[in-house]
Amino acid sequence: MNDPYEILGISKNANETEIKKAFRNLAIKHHPDRGGDAEKFKEINEAYQILSDPQKRKTYDQFGKSAFEQGGGNGFSGFNGSQGFSGFNMDFDFGDGDFSDIFSSIFESFGGRRSSSRSSENLDITIKTEISIEESLTGVSKNFELNRKVRCEKCGGTGSKDGRIDICGSCRGTGQVSENRRTPFGIFKTIGVCKNCGGTGKIIKNKCSECSGTGVKRKIEKISVNIPAGISDGEGIRLKGKGDAGKTKTGDLIIYISVLEREDFFRKDDDLVMKVEIPYSKFLLGGKIKVETPTETLEVKVPENSKVGDVLKIPGKGFEKNFGRRGDLLIQINLKIAKSLSYEQKKLIEELEKLGM
Ligand SMILES: [Zn+2]
Ligand SMILES: [Zn+2]
C-alpha cells in the first residue's frame, strides 16, 4: 500500500474539506466507467477510506501503513481489496463520519485489538471521577452506580421469545444488501446495511417481551472499583467487560481520574511535596519536627541554620511508581508566625532584637 496522502496528492495537515475535494476530483478522473484505470481507482478509494475516517487517519499517522495492510496484525476493518468494486463501501454522502468512538479507538489502536466486524457501535462507557491528593497517594476504593446495557436474562440475549430465529430473506443472512446508485460520477454499486433485519442477518418472529427483541436491557448496577495508589491526574482505568452489552460483544468501562490537589500538598512527578510551617527557633537551632502524612506521622530532623523554603527529602515516601518503587517526600519548611505573643515571648524577642537578631 502506498502513502494515502501521496495518492490523494495532499499534505499531512490537509483538513476534511481538502481531503474530500482531492478525492472527488481524482474519483471523477479515474473512474473505470469513464475509462479510468481500475487499480488506480481502487487505490484512491482505499486512501480516501483511511483519511476520511478520523480514527483510521489517526491510526495511520501513528502506526503507518502496516496497520492497514491485508493480513496485518491489526485486522483493521473496512477494506476488502480483493473483492473488486462491488466490495467497496462507496460513501458519496460525504457525511461527517462517526466520531463517537474515537476514545475507544485510542485504546484499541495501542492494543492492536479491533473487532473484525464493521460495527460502529460504541459500547464503552466513560465516566470521570475526582479523588483527593491523599487518595491518590494511598489508593482508594470508590463506588459507582452504572446504568448499563446487559444481556437480557429472559431470552439469553437472543431477543427471541421462543428461541426461533430465521435468516433474513432480503440479505440471505449477510446483513448487507448491494444496490446500484446513480451519482454525478456514474453508477456505483454500493453495499448498505440491510433494512429488513437492521444488519443482523436475522429475523425474530416472536420478540422477547423483556428486551423487545434487542437481546439487551438497561440495568442499574453498583460497582466498586479499586483505584490504585500512585494514580495521577488524567489517567484512566479500564475495566474489561463492564461497558454496554452489544450484539456480539460487551464494551469496557473507562474511568478517568481527576486528582484534586491542595496548595500545601501536591504532586511533582512522583514526589509528594508538603509545605509545613515551623517556628523561628527551629530554623536557627535545628531539631526534630513531626510531619503528618496521610499514612503516618514522621519525625523529621531539621538541620541547624535552615532557611525558609528549604526542602527536606525523605526517600521512598512519595507516590508509587512502576515495579514497586516510590518517589520521595519533599518537605518544604516555612516560617510559622505566631498570631499573638505572650508578655514573656515579647520580652524575649525584644532581648533578641537587642542582640541584633
Ligand atoms: Zn430478551
Ligand atoms: Zn437482512
Side-chain angles (χ1 to χ4, degrees):
M1 198 185 93
N2 293 318
D3 182 351
Y5 291 99
E6 236 170 72
I7 293 165
L8 296 186
I10 51 173
S11 81
K12 291 250 190 275
N13 315 316
N15 62 30
E16 244 180 290
T17 322
E18 288 165 340
I19 294 168
K20 280 175 195 171
K21 209 174 145 191
F23 171 65
R24 209 191 283 257
N25 290 338
L26 289 168
I28 294 168
K29 195 173 159 193
H30 295 284
H31 195 279
D33 286 358
R34 294 167 170 250
D37 177 20
E39 275 303 305
K40 180 76 189 161
F41 184 73
K42 197 173 109 181
E43 197 181 52
I44 293 162
N45 185 44
E46 281 181 352
Y48 179 69
Q49 295 273 347
I50 294 172
L51 300 184
S52 62
D53 180 328
Q55 279 173 243
K56 287 176 189 162
R57 185 177 180 185
K58 200 181 170 94
T59 306
Y60 179 84
D61 289 344
Q62 248 169 355
F63 301 102
K65 62 182 180 180
S66 60
F68 294 93
E69 273 165 356
Q70 296 246 329
N74 272 329
F76 227 99
S77 58
F79 303 103
N80 295 300
S82 56
Q83 288 182 16
F85 282 116
S86 59
F88 289 129
N89 185 6
M90 290 297 297
D91 181 10
F92 273 95
D93 291 332
F94 296 115
D96 277 325
D98 183 11
F99 290 88
S100 65
D101 59 354
I102 285 178
F103 258 129
S104 61
S105 76
I106 293 168
F107 288 92
E108 289 180 358
S109 55
F110 282 114
R113 182 176 70 85
R114 192 84 170 95
S115 91
S116 55
S117 68
R118 198 188 155 86
S119 153
S120 63
E121 55 179 349
N122 180 16
L123 299 170
D124 290 339
I125 298 175
T126 308
I127 54 177
K128 282 181 184 170
T129 191
E130 287 178 339
I131 62 171
S132 68
I133 181 82
E134 291 91 338
E135 288 170 335
S136 76
L137 180 74
T138 57
V140 64
S141 173
K142 287 259 171 190
N143 296 316
F144 298 98
E145 213 177 70
L146 293 177
N147 179 351
R148 61 185 281 248
K149 284 183 188 162
V150 294
R151 180 185 285 256
C152 172
E153 280 163 20
K154 198 169 180 185
C155 62
T158 61
S160 168
K161 193 177 191 172
D162 49 13
R164 188 182 155 190
I165 297 165
D166 296 331
I167 288 171
C168 172
S170 302
C171 62
R172 289 189 223 105
T174 61
Q176 292 181 331
V177 285
S178 63
E179 57 178 325
N180 289 325
R181 277 173 71 182
R182 213 171 275 278
T183 78
F185 318 117
I187 293 168
F188 284 84
K189 195 162 197 176
T190 63
I191 301 283
V193 173
C194 172
K195 288 192 180 81
N196 192 38
C197 61
T200 59
K202 293 167 194 154
I203 296 289
I204 298 163
K205 271 260 163 62
N206 298 308
K207 288 179 177 167
C208 166
S209 57
E210 194 70 25
C211 62
S212 319
T214 57
V216 292
K217 84 188 239 207
R218 288 217 165 264
K219 192 182 167 192
I220 306 282
E221 217 174 68
K222 288 204 169 90
I223 182 173
S224 175
V225 177
N226 283 320
I227 297 169
I231 198 155
S232 46
D233 188 58
E235 279 186 324
I237 301 168
R238 179 183 276 267
L239 286 120
K240 287 232 177 282
K242 288 289 176 190
D244 283 329
K247 290 189 185 82
T248 53
K249 56 172 188 171
T250 300
D252 301 333
L253 171 66
I254 303 159
I255 304 168
Y256 283 102
I257 307 295
S258 160
V259 179
L260 301 169
E261 296 200 330
R262 287 169 27 183
E263 205 187 320
D264 59 343
F265 197 95
F266 55 91
R267 185 173 183 144
K268 194 178 150 196
D269 300 323
D270 290 313
D271 296 335
L272 169 63
V273 182
M274 280 184 83
K275 290 182 178 178
V276 298
E277 291 186 342
I278 59 173
Y280 183 50
S281 56
K282 281 276 190 275
F283 282 95
L284 298 176
L285 306 172
K288 285 182 174 162
I289 55 166
K290 279 192 173 153
V291 176
E292 302 263 353
T293 78
T295 48
E296 60 195 316
T297 304
L298 297 172
E299 222 176 37
V300 181
K301 196 174 174 290
V302 179
E304 255 180 59
N305 289 317
S306 288
K307 290 189 295 296
V308 169
D310 276 357
V311 172
L312 312 172
K313 180 168 154 180
I314 317 290
K317 297 282 185 188
F319 290 92
E320 280 197 26
K321 296 195 239 188
N322 293 330
F323 313 112
R325 294 184 335 185
R326 288 181 72 173
D328 303 326
L329 171 63
L330 305 177
I331 300 168
Q332 193 192 81
I333 47 174
N334 294 302
L335 182 60
K336 184 183 195 170
I337 297 179
K339 287 203 173 72
S340 63
L341 295 175
S342 65
Y343 176 76
E344 208 181 359
Q345 285 171 327
K346 204 169 174 179
K347 273 280 170 212
L348 286 168
I349 289 168
E350 278 167 5
E351 291 299 317
L352 283 173
E353 198 182 17
K354 280 178 201 161
L355 294 169
M357 290 188 73

